[in-house]
Amino acid sequence: MKHSHGKDMVYISNKAREVIEYVKAHNLEIRFSGEDSFRSDFNEILKLYLAVDQLGVDRVGIADTVGSATPMEVLDKVGSLRKILTCDNETHFHNDTGCAIANAYCALEAGAMHVDTTVLGIDERNGITPLGGLIAALIRVDRENVLSKYNIDKLGCIESLMARVVEVEIPFNNLDLSLSATSRDEKSEEGF
């Protein structure tokens, strides 16, 4: 915890128990998340998350607060969480090293149930996992499932609106998720 608030695990565990008991008494959904999960002692995080899972949280979150995680680390750590937890798990990846989409994809492969995204990945510093980028990765693997859940033809309009509202340019390499673009097969890419 040296990179963040400086609290030790005993303090965090005691406070977590106190807050979880309070929130449960009010019949609210509980998500317990730590920050800086990929630079912290992961054995300590596993112990803490197992303890809060046993207290009855609905979901725990693992965050790559500074965007330094690699896809292999994500597979390992999210997979480790899935093996010991009964509650849902959520992931949050910053894009400081350009790995947010790959990390989110690997998290889903390892059993993550929720991935934080934003339109165009807009967030502090270099942003987080962009919704369109993650959808593009997922559509290549399970096209029918993605199309049954998401109206991807609307995403371009949402991205344009968001870019106008927050006064940013849509990145030149933003993915085209229109049905015509996602239905291309590999033969149409020949010659490049």
Side-chain angles (χ1 to χ4, degrees), residues 153-170:
D153 275 341
K154 301 291 183 194
L155 189 56
C157 293
I158 294 169
E159 290 174 338
S160 294
L161 174 64
M162 182 61 70
R164 276 195 318 275
V165 168
V166 299
E167 300 177 341
V168 298
E169 295 290 323
I170 294 177

PDB file of all heavy atoms in Angstrom, residues 153-170:
ATOM      1  N   ASP A 153     -24.198  -0.238 -34.134  1.00  0.00           N
ATOM      2  CA  ASP A 153     -24.344   0.831 -35.121  1.00  0.00           C
ATOM      3  C   ASP A 153     -24.608   2.181 -34.476  1.00  0.00           C
ATOM      4  O   ASP A 153     -24.439   3.213 -35.114  1.00  0.00           O
ATOM      5  CB  ASP A 153     -25.457   0.498 -36.116  1.00  0.00           C
ATOM      6  CG  ASP A 153     -24.946  -0.372 -37.258  1.00  0.00           C
ATOM      7  OD1 ASP A 153     -23.715  -0.418 -37.472  1.00  0.00           O
ATOM      8  OD2 ASP A 153     -25.774  -1.001 -37.937  1.00  0.00           O
ATOM      9  N   LYS A 154     -24.989   2.210 -33.221  1.00  0.00           N
ATOM     10  CA  LYS A 154     -25.225   3.473 -32.510  1.00  0.00           C
ATOM     11  C   LYS A 154     -23.960   4.019 -31.856  1.00  0.00           C
ATOM     12  O   LYS A 154     -23.905   5.169 -31.466  1.00  0.00           O
ATOM     13  CB  LYS A 154     -26.303   3.297 -31.430  1.00  0.00           C
ATOM     14  CG  LYS A 154     -27.633   2.830 -31.956  1.00  0.00           C
ATOM     15  CD  LYS A 154     -28.285   3.899 -32.778  1.00  0.00           C
ATOM     16  CE  LYS A 154     -29.660   3.433 -33.230  1.00  0.00           C
ATOM     17  NZ  LYS A 154     -30.215   4.235 -34.274  1.00  0.00           N
ATOM     18  N   LEU A 155     -22.941   3.188 -31.742  1.00  0.00           N
ATOM     19  CA  LEU A 155     -21.743   3.594 -31.012  1.00  0.00           C
ATOM     20  C   LEU A 155     -21.039   4.787 -31.665  1.00  0.00           C
ATOM     21  O   LEU A 155     -20.592   5.702 -30.973  1.00  0.00           O
ATOM     22  CB  LEU A 155     -20.775   2.418 -30.850  1.00  0.00           C
ATOM     23  CG  LEU A 155     -19.595   2.668 -29.933  1.00  0.00           C
ATOM     24  CD1 LEU A 155     -20.049   3.097 -28.537  1.00  0.00           C
ATOM     25  CD2 LEU A 155     -18.737   1.423 -29.835  1.00  0.00           C
ATOM     26  N   GLY A 156     -20.966   4.809 -32.978  1.00  0.00           N
ATOM     27  CA  GLY A 156     -20.318   5.931 -33.664  1.00  0.00           C
ATOM     28  C   GLY A 156     -20.993   7.253 -33.352  1.00  0.00           C
ATOM     29  O   GLY A 156     -20.329   8.276 -33.133  1.00  0.00           O
ATOM     30  N   CYS A 157     -22.324   7.244 -33.295  1.00  0.00           N
ATOM     31  CA  CYS A 157     -23.072   8.473 -32.949  1.00  0.00           C
ATOM     32  C   CYS A 157     -22.781   8.891 -31.514  1.00  0.00           C
ATOM     33  O   CYS A 157     -22.613  10.086 -31.233  1.00  0.00           O
ATOM     34  CB  CYS A 157     -24.573   8.239 -33.118  1.00  0.00           C
ATOM     35  SG  CYS A 157     -25.076   7.978 -34.819  1.00  0.00           S
ATOM     36  N   ILE A 158     -22.730   7.916 -30.624  1.00  0.00           N
ATOM     37  CA  ILE A 158     -22.441   8.219 -29.215  1.00  0.00           C
ATOM     38  C   ILE A 158     -21.030   8.774 -29.077  1.00  0.00           C
ATOM     39  O   ILE A 158     -20.800   9.743 -28.347  1.00  0.00           O
ATOM     40  CB  ILE A 158     -22.642   6.969 -28.337  1.00  0.00           C
ATOM     41  CG1 ILE A 158     -24.120   6.572 -28.332  1.00  0.00           C
ATOM     42  CG2 ILE A 158     -22.124   7.191 -26.927  1.00  0.00           C
ATOM     43  CD1 ILE A 158     -24.386   5.213 -27.729  1.00  0.00           C
ATOM     44  N   GLU A 159     -20.084   8.188 -29.808  1.00  0.00           N
ATOM     45  CA  GLU A 159     -18.702   8.685 -29.748  1.00  0.00           C
ATOM     46  C   GLU A 159     -18.615  10.109 -30.286  1.00  0.00           C
ATOM     47  O   GLU A 159     -17.943  10.965 -29.691  1.00  0.00           O
ATOM     48  CB  GLU A 159     -17.782   7.744 -30.536  1.00  0.00           C
ATOM     49  CG  GLU A 159     -17.588   6.409 -29.856  1.00  0.00           C
ATOM     50  CD  GLU A 159     -16.801   5.410 -30.684  1.00  0.00           C
ATOM     51  OE1 GLU A 159     -16.747   5.549 -31.926  1.00  0.00           O
ATOM     52  OE2 GLU A 159     -16.238   4.479 -30.086  1.00  0.00           O
ATOM     53  N   SER A 160     -19.299  10.386 -31.385  1.00  0.00           N
ATOM     54  CA  SER A 160     -19.290  11.745 -31.945  1.00  0.00           C
ATOM     55  C   SER A 160     -19.902  12.743 -30.971  1.00  0.00           C
ATOM     56  O   SER A 160     -19.363  13.842 -30.774  1.00  0.00           O
ATOM     57  CB  SER A 160     -20.061  11.781 -33.268  1.00  0.00           C
ATOM     58  OG  SER A 160     -19.393  11.022 -34.236  1.00  0.00           O
ATOM     59  N   LEU A 161     -21.020  12.368 -30.378  1.00  0.00           N
ATOM     60  CA  LEU A 161     -21.666  13.241 -29.399  1.00  0.00           C
ATOM     61  C   LEU A 161     -20.741  13.509 -28.216  1.00  0.00           C
ATOM     62  O   LEU A 161     -20.559  14.653 -27.798  1.00  0.00           O
ATOM     63  CB  LEU A 161     -22.981  12.615 -28.914  1.00  0.00           C
ATOM     64  CG  LEU A 161     -23.685  13.360 -27.776  1.00  0.00           C
ATOM     65  CD1 LEU A 161     -24.128  14.740 -28.226  1.00  0.00           C
ATOM     66  CD2 LEU A 161     -24.868  12.534 -27.272  1.00  0.00           C
ATOM     67  N   MET A 162     -20.138  12.463 -27.673  1.00  0.00           N
ATOM     68  CA  MET A 162     -19.248  12.615 -26.519  1.00  0.00           C
ATOM     69  C   MET A 162     -18.051  13.502 -26.867  1.00  0.00           C
ATOM     70  O   MET A 162     -17.660  14.364 -26.087  1.00  0.00           O
ATOM     71  CB  MET A 162     -18.774  11.253 -26.021  1.00  0.00           C
ATOM     72  CG  MET A 162     -17.884  11.338 -24.800  1.00  0.00           C
ATOM     73  SD  MET A 162     -18.680  12.088 -23.370  1.00  0.00           S
ATOM     74  CE  MET A 162     -19.841  10.841 -22.939  1.00  0.00           C
ATOM     75  N   ALA A 163     -17.481  13.292 -28.041  1.00  0.00           N
ATOM     76  CA  ALA A 163     -16.335  14.102 -28.461  1.00  0.00           C
ATOM     77  C   ALA A 163     -16.721  15.583 -28.529  1.00  0.00           C
ATOM     78  O   ALA A 163     -15.959  16.452 -28.094  1.00  0.00           O
ATOM     79  CB  ALA A 163     -15.810  13.616 -29.805  1.00  0.00           C
ATOM     80  N   ARG A 164     -17.905  15.861 -29.067  1.00  0.00           N
ATOM     81  CA  ARG A 164     -18.371  17.255 -29.130  1.00  0.00           C
ATOM     82  C   ARG A 164     -18.592  17.830 -27.737  1.00  0.00           C
ATOM     83  O   ARG A 164     -18.185  18.947 -27.440  1.00  0.00           O
ATOM     84  CB  ARG A 164     -19.676  17.362 -29.929  1.00  0.00           C
ATOM     85  CG  ARG A 164     -19.491  17.445 -31.410  1.00  0.00           C
ATOM     86  CD  ARG A 164     -20.735  17.913 -32.149  1.00  0.00           C
ATOM     87  NE  ARG A 164     -21.991  17.343 -31.700  1.00  0.00           N
ATOM     88  CZ  ARG A 164     -22.509  16.179 -32.100  1.00  0.00           C
ATOM     89  NH1 ARG A 164     -21.844  15.453 -32.978  1.00  0.00           N
ATOM     90  NH2 ARG A 164     -23.670  15.755 -31.647  1.00  0.00           N
ATOM     91  N   VAL A 165     -19.234  17.052 -26.868  1.00  0.00           N
ATOM     92  CA  VAL A 165     -19.575  17.535 -25.528  1.00  0.00           C
ATOM     93  C   VAL A 165     -18.330  17.855 -24.712  1.00  0.00           C
ATOM     94  O   VAL A 165     -18.255  18.876 -24.040  1.00  0.00           O
ATOM     95  CB  VAL A 165     -20.471  16.521 -24.786  1.00  0.00           C
ATOM     96  CG1 VAL A 165     -20.588  16.853 -23.309  1.00  0.00           C
ATOM     97  CG2 VAL A 165     -21.849  16.456 -25.425  1.00  0.00           C
ATOM     98  N   VAL A 166     -17.333  16.978 -24.760  1.00  0.00           N
ATOM     99  CA  VAL A 166     -16.126  17.210 -23.955  1.00  0.00           C
ATOM    100  C   VAL A 166     -15.021  17.916 -24.748  1.00  0.00           C
ATOM    101  O   VAL A 166     -13.923  18.109 -24.247  1.00  0.00           O
ATOM    102  CB  VAL A 166     -15.592  15.905 -23.315  1.00  0.00           C
ATOM    103  CG1 VAL A 166     -16.614  15.305 -22.379  1.00  0.00           C
ATOM    104  CG2 VAL A 166     -15.151  14.902 -24.361  1.00  0.00           C
ATOM    105  N   GLU A 167     -15.348  18.281 -25.986  1.00  0.00           N
ATOM    106  CA  GLU A 167     -14.457  19.063 -26.835  1.00  0.00           C
ATOM    107  C   GLU A 167     -13.098  18.401 -27.059  1.00  0.00           C
ATOM    108  O   GLU A 167     -12.043  18.973 -26.808  1.00  0.00           O
ATOM    109  CB  GLU A 167     -14.297  20.483 -26.273  1.00  0.00           C
ATOM    110  CG  GLU A 167     -15.618  21.227 -26.197  1.00  0.00           C
ATOM    111  CD  GLU A 167     -15.504  22.609 -25.571  1.00  0.00           C
ATOM    112  OE1 GLU A 167     -14.504  22.892 -24.876  1.00  0.00           O
ATOM    113  OE2 GLU A 167     -16.428  23.401 -25.783  1.00  0.00           O
ATOM    114  N   VAL A 168     -13.169  17.153 -27.541  1.00  0.00           N
ATOM    115  CA  VAL A 168     -11.957  16.445 -27.948  1.00  0.00           C
ATOM    116  C   VAL A 168     -12.167  15.925 -29.369  1.00  0.00           C
ATOM    117  O   VAL A 168     -13.292  15.770 -29.829  1.00  0.00           O
ATOM    118  CB  VAL A 168     -11.620  15.247 -27.005  1.00  0.00           C
ATOM    119  CG1 VAL A 168     -11.351  15.725 -25.596  1.00  0.00           C
ATOM    120  CG2 VAL A 168     -12.683  14.179 -27.038  1.00  0.00           C
ATOM    121  N   GLU A 169     -11.068  15.666 -30.029  1.00  0.00           N
ATOM    122  CA  GLU A 169     -11.123  15.046 -31.349  1.00  0.00           C
ATOM    123  C   GLU A 169     -11.260  13.539 -31.181  1.00  0.00           C
ATOM    124  O   GLU A 169     -10.689  12.959 -30.255  1.00  0.00           O
ATOM    125  CB  GLU A 169      -9.839  15.349 -32.133  1.00  0.00           C
ATOM    126  CG  GLU A 169      -9.642  16.813 -32.470  1.00  0.00           C
ATOM    127  CD  GLU A 169     -10.632  17.292 -33.527  1.00  0.00           C
ATOM    128  OE1 GLU A 169     -10.956  16.522 -34.453  1.00  0.00           O
ATOM    129  OE2 GLU A 169     -11.083  18.439 -33.395  1.00  0.00           O
ATOM    130  N   ILE A 170     -11.996  12.900 -32.072  1.00  0.00           N
ATOM    131  CA  ILE A 170     -12.024  11.437 -32.094  1.00  0.00           C
ATOM    132  C   ILE A 170     -10.667  10.992 -32.628  1.00  0.00           C
ATOM    133  O   ILE A 170     -10.218  11.472 -33.677  1.00  0.00           O
ATOM    134  CB  ILE A 170     -13.167  10.909 -32.973  1.00  0.00           C
ATOM    135  CG1 ILE A 170     -14.517  11.284 -32.334  1.00  0.00           C
ATOM    136  CG2 ILE A 170     -13.054   9.400 -33.165  1.00  0.00           C
ATOM    137  CD1 ILE A 170     -15.728  10.888 -33.144  1.00  0.00           C
TER     138      ILE A 170
END
